[in-house]
Amino acid sequence: MVTITDIAKACGYSRATVSKALNGAPDVKKETVERIQECARKLGYHPNAAARALKVGRSYNIGVLFSDTSGVGLSHEYFSRIFESIKKEAEKQGYDITFISQNLGTMSMDYLEHTRYRSCDGVVIASADFHDPAIVRLGESDVPTVTLDYQFDSRTAILSDNVQGVDALVRYVYGKGHRRIAFIHGELTSVTQKRLASFKKTCMELGIQVPPEYILQGIYHDPKSSGLQTRALLALPDPPTCIFYPDDFSYIGGMNELERQGVQVPDQMSTVGYDGIHLSEVLRPRLTTYRQNAERMGAEAARLLIEEIEQPDTWLPQQITVEGQLLEGGTVAEPD
Amino acid sequence: MVTITDIAKACGYSRATVSKALNGAPDVKKETVERIQECARKLGYHPNAAARALKVGRSYNIGVLFSDTSGVGLSHEYFSRIFESIKKEAEKQGYDITFISQNLGTMSMDYLEHTRYRSCDGVVIASADFHDPAIVRLGESDVPTVTLDYQFDSRTAILSDNVQGVDALVRYVYGKGHRRIAFIHGELTSVTQKRLASFKKTCMELGIQVPPEYILQGIYHDPKSSGLQTRALLALPDPPTCIFYPDDFSYIGGMNELERQGVQVPDQMSTVGYDGIHLSEVLRPRLTTYRQNAERMGAEAARLLIEEIEQPDTWLPQQITVEGQLLEGGTVAEPD
DNA sequence: TTGTATGCGTTATCAT
DNA sequence: ATGATAACGCATACAA
């Protein structure tokens, strides 16, 4: 490994001068800077992140926390898109990514301890049980954090606009003429509650009566559950003309059940998903859904986190709501 | 941050003794060890990875490289499963994961330089253009590496058994009575070449003639391309009775095209995918496919890499071939 | 404009 | 069994 000392020897300056030259200090002669940089390049020098971190107390490393409560983890496209986007923005700004977990090897440490252990300058909490004491501890520590789809007090949060998303979908199907709309939602997280509230509110504003048997609990990312709830809806004496699914992937279960019972989409039943994953666009007919802007969410999370890290004095917590986009597919038709 | 010095002060020993006690050195009195550990626990001590890395030249950090040539990255379930599995095994053994990329911030560095910059103890190269000089440089360096689905000379490699996978699928559809089998393959990577060769070889062994127009090039993970190639196959004067797709996701394009043309699966056309992603199991009928054992591949990659890192003297390069499993769905029926 | 000296937290060597 | 000391690579306060 080639160090700053090697360069110093090679070009006849002191280690201090070399260090300054390489870091663009103002008090080094221009000519010297050039000579040193040239020399560094020739020797193939690259700084040692560990040494720098030890010295300056900054690691240029940000933690990413996906605690994966449901077990789908990054195989859920929404999260993998968010992750890729965080990574891209962080790298653009010179930061590496470290996954924060609990219980590394034999050492038992919680999320905060892990963060400290790796000297992470900040953490993006992307998917987690926000009531887990270990998560709360991290959120209340002095480590800069940004949460996604959840709001800690006095911290920065990036929120997907679930209210607007569901509102847009309801108004869209209303515009197509639907008045009997069912809503299969996921587990009761804070995201789910927002979607559900938005559904009810928009329906009320539009003067739509939603009978309680139209609102069913399913499971995110679980086609089987959506299939069962679809069956329940079809068995009602007065079934809906349109069904909202918890997300695009779980819609597959509904799609299969509808086909099994010979119910044509969209002629006999309209359907709507959520997320706008790749799959929704390759189904035929395309699934009408709401695409969450995961790319922007990840990028904003990284951007604001780094801002807080680099300008702590002018920093203020922000809540950014990121709108998505209605994707008009072919699964919503005018009801009879 | 609580350091070793704090503990030394708090319990009246020297920093050296504290360090030894915490690392299980044999020359510290048992009673002392206990007292020091107790004290460390009480103060909430955790080691500083950067300082340790600087001192001992080991970071307990392994690099993971997904260079994402096709742009799908971790949103491809095969890779996200591999990644999760690497991460899980690494963490079990006390290692963190760092993503290795090029061009961090303003510094221009290649993969090897990035690896050195973060003092990674080794790298798993999971998806990359293995002819890229930057990848080759990493593979030929003294950094321990393990590749997935590609073999560098004298290095450890984990290979999904593509030969056995395609062989199993061909024999399965042959057993169902198919003799006119088409094969849509992905871009011509080394993986594709293995699958293609295995297809031809097994067909030959079974005495099946495969006309050249039955072998078409598609694009991995691209339903559109599969749709187009499906159309081409259906337009042949003597169309196949069974179509192999590049992978499960791209099959969606074929599925749609078949439905559009009113061709029933499996009654009028049998279909086969590859990968065994979650999607294949929720389609109706279920897609008959070959599930690659991504979990084991990732775990083996991490395990062997760490073995090389920790026992360099007894290390030998290994090539491990990981078999998958045929998933019998409902898309293959006996042809007329 | 350049160089000297110091310390970040840790571990390893060598005395005691 | 324990402690003093040096060193890993780097950045910075201060001296020259």
Side-chain angles (χ1 to χ4, degrees):
Chain A
M1 180 183 210
V2 31
T3 74
I4 236 174
T5 309
D6 299 326
I7 301 179
K9 276 183 197 147
C11 65
Y13 287 94
S14 72
R15 284 151 54 208
T17 306
V18 171
S19 174
K20 284 193 225 171
L22 261 26
N23 291 306
D27 60 344
V28 183
K29 216 197 320 183
K30 210 169 165 186
E31 194 188 306
T32 312
V33 171
E34 282 165 12
R35 206 177 305 169
I36 289 176
Q37 282 180 341
E38 162 70 12
C39 185
R41 215 181 34 73
K42 207 179 294 176
L43 294 182
Y45 169 80
H46 280 279
N48 179 309
R52 177 180 283 170
L54 186 57
K55 177 65 187 163
V56 302
R58 285 274 310 283
S59 62
Y60 288 89
N61 209 8
I62 67 180
V64 170
L65 203 159
F66 282 87
S67 79
D68 189 13
T69 48
S70 56
V72 290
L74 289 180
S75 79
H76 194 312
E77 193 180 312
Y78 176 57
F79 292 116
S80 71
R81 276 164 53 207
I82 285 178
F83 171 73
E84 295 270 9
S85 170
I86 293 172
K87 174 164 171 281
K88 190 173 161 194
E89 177 68 20
E91 283 175 353
K92 204 170 87 185
Q93 302 210 34
Y95 285 75
D96 272 311
I97 297 293
T98 289
F99 273 81
I100 299 299
S101 57
Q102 295 193 90
N103 299 330
L104 200 58
T106 57
M107 346 175 211
S108 80
M109 44 172 113
D110 65 13
Y111 298 118
L112 177 59
E113 288 161 352
H114 192 165
T115 303
R116 291 252 160 77
Y117 170 63
R118 286 290 173 194
S119 312
C120 291
D121 299 332
V123 180
V124 178
I125 307 177
S127 117
D129 171 5
F130 290 95
H131 299 295
D132 177 349
I135 296 285
V136 173
R137 181 167 184 235
L138 178 59
E140 290 178 344
S141 74
D142 57 349
V143 175
T145 57
V146 171
T147 48
L148 276 92
D149 283 336
Y150 187 85
Q151 170 74 63
F152 276 131
D153 182 55
S154 303
R155 306 257 51 162
T156 292
I158 312 292
L159 305 163
S160 184
D161 199 343
N162 287 289
V163 171
Q164 132 81 14
V166 171
D167 180 83
L169 287 169
V170 172
R171 289 182 192 280
Y172 173 80
V173 304
Y174 180 88
K176 288 278 188 177
H178 292 273
R179 298 297 180 269
R180 300 209 308 276
I181 310 171
F183 191 84
I184 304 176
H185 60 79
E187 304 91 316
L188 283 174
T189 62
S190 64
V191 165
T192 308
Q193 273 154 3
K194 279 180 197 159
R195 294 187 190 168
L196 190 50
S198 177
F199 177 75
K200 290 177 179 169
K201 178 162 182 285
T202 307
C203 284
M204 192 185 298
E205 284 175 14
L206 294 171
I208 302 178
Q209 289 283 350
V210 184
E213 61 270 25
Y214 275 16
I215 297 189
L216 295 176
Q217 170 148 0
I219 301 172
Y220 286 121
H221 219 251
D222 184 59
K224 195 170 166 192
S225 152
S226 286
L228 289 174
Q229 301 301 44
T230 300
R231 191 184 305 181
L233 289 169
L234 291 175
L236 288 176
D238 190 24
T241 61
C242 177
I243 304 176
F244 279 50
Y245 287 91
D247 57 86
D248 298 346
F249 191 82
S250 75
Y251 163 65
I252 302 284
M255 184 182 87
N256 292 330
E257 179 63 23
L258 290 166
E259 192 175 330
R260 213 179 56 80
Q261 298 204 23
V263 179
Q264 296 276 342
V265 175
D267 297 336
Q268 297 167 275
M269 180 65 77
S270 291
T271 57
V272 160
Y274 208 92
D275 280 349
I277 63 175
H278 194 177
L279 176 64
S280 74
E281 302 186 57
V282 299
L283 293 174
R284 290 295 174 272
R286 283 189 194 188
L287 179 58
T288 292
T289 186
Y290 188 85
R291 181 170 174 88
Q292 304 198 69
N293 195 340
E295 284 70 26
R296 198 155 100 70
M297 293 179 66
E300 289 287 314
R303 193 179 64 76
L304 290 179
L305 182 63
I306 292 171
E307 206 171 288
E308 176 176 352
I309 291 166
E310 300 192 341
Q311 287 125 27
D313 36 334
T314 65
W315 172 80
L316 281 174
Q318 286 183 53
Q319 291 78 49
I320 292 200
T321 301
V322 178
E323 277 199 16
Q325 184 187 3
L326 192 143
L327 294 188
E328 185 172 358
T331 52
V332 178
E334 295 184 5
D336 302 328
Chain B
M1 180 186 208
V2 31
T3 74
I4 237 172
T5 310
D6 298 326
I7 301 179
K9 277 184 198 147
C11 66
Y13 288 94
S14 71
R15 282 149 56 208
T17 307
V18 171
S19 174
K20 285 191 221 169
L22 261 26
N23 291 306
D27 60 345
V28 183
K29 216 199 316 182
K30 210 170 164 185
E31 194 188 306
T32 311
V33 171
E34 282 166 13
R35 208 178 303 170
I36 290 176
Q37 282 180 340
E38 162 70 12
C39 185
R41 213 181 36 72
K42 208 179 293 176
L43 294 182
Y45 169 80
H46 281 278
N48 178 309
R52 178 179 283 170
L54 185 58
K55 179 64 186 166
V56 302
R58 284 274 310 283
S59 62
Y60 288 90
N61 208 9
I62 67 180
V64 170
L65 202 157
F66 282 87
S67 79
D68 189 12
T69 48
S70 56
V72 290
L74 288 180
S75 79
H76 195 313
E77 192 180 310
Y78 177 56
F79 292 116
S80 72
R81 276 164 52 206
I82 285 179
F83 171 72
E84 295 269 9
S85 168
I86 293 172
K87 176 164 172 282
K88 189 173 161 194
E89 177 68 21
E91 283 176 352
K92 202 170 88 183
Q93 302 209 34
Y95 285 74
D96 271 311
I97 298 292
T98 289
F99 273 83
I100 298 300
S101 56
Q102 294 192 92
N103 299 328
L104 200 58
T106 57
M107 348 173 209
S108 80
M109 45 172 114
D110 65 12
Y111 298 119
L112 177 58
E113 288 161 353
H114 192 163
T115 303
R116 291 254 160 76
Y117 170 63
R118 287 289 174 193
S119 313
C120 290
D121 299 331
V123 180
V124 177
I125 307 177
S127 117
D129 171 5
F130 291 95
H131 299 295
D132 178 348
I135 297 284
V136 173
R137 180 165 185 237
L138 178 60
E140 290 177 344
S141 74
D142 57 349
V143 175
T145 57
V146 171
T147 49
L148 276 92
D149 282 335
Y150 187 86
Q151 169 74 63
F152 276 131
D153 182 54
S154 304
R155 305 257 52 162
T156 292
I158 313 292
L159 305 162
S160 184
D161 198 342
N162 287 288
V163 170
Q164 132 81 14
V166 171
D167 181 84
L169 287 169
V170 173
R171 289 182 192 279
Y172 174 79
V173 303
Y174 180 88
K176 288 277 189 176
H178 291 273
R179 298 297 180 269
R180 301 209 307 277
I181 310 171
F183 190 83
I184 305 176
H185 58 79
E187 304 92 314
L188 283 175
T189 61
S190 64
V191 165
T192 308
Q193 274 155 1
K194 279 180 198 160
R195 293 186 191 169
L196 191 49
S198 176
F199 178 75
K200 290 177 178 168
K201 179 161 182 286
T202 306
C203 284
M204 191 184 298
E205 285 175 13
L206 295 171
I208 302 178
Q209 289 283 347
V210 183
E213 61 271 24
Y214 275 16
I215 296 189
L216 295 175
Q217 171 149 0
I219 301 173
Y220 285 121
H221 219 251
D222 184 60
K224 195 171 165 189
S225 153
S226 287
L228 289 173
Q229 300 302 44
T230 300
R231 191 184 307 180
L233 289 169
L234 291 175
L236 289 176
D238 190 25
T241 60
C242 177
I243 304 176
F244 279 50
Y245 286 91
D247 57 85
D248 297 345
F249 191 81
S250 74
Y251 163 64
I252 302 284
M255 184 182 86
N256 291 329
E257 180 64 22
L258 291 166
E259 190 174 332
R260 212 180 56 81
Q261 298 204 23
V263 179
Q264 295 276 343
V265 175
D267 297 336
Q268 296 166 277
M269 180 64 79
S270 291
T271 56
V272 161
Y274 208 91
D275 279 349
I277 63 175
H278 194 175
L279 176 64
S280 73
E281 302 186 58
V282 298
L283 293 173
R284 290 295 173 274
R286 284 189 194 189
L287 179 58
T288 292
T289 186
Y290 188 85
R291 182 172 175 88
Q292 303 199 68
N293 194 341
E295 285 70 26
R296 198 156 98 70
M297 292 179 67
E300 290 287 315
R303 192 179 65 77
L304 290 179
L305 182 64
I306 292 171
E307 204 170 289
E308 175 176 353
I309 292 166
E310 301 192 340
Q311 287 126 27
D313 36 334
T314 65
W315 173 81
L316 282 174
Q318 286 183 55
Q319 291 78 48
I320 293 199
T321 301
V322 178
E323 278 199 18
Q325 185 187 2
L326 192 143
L327 294 188
E328 185 172 358
T331 53
V332 178
E334 294 183 7
D336 302 328

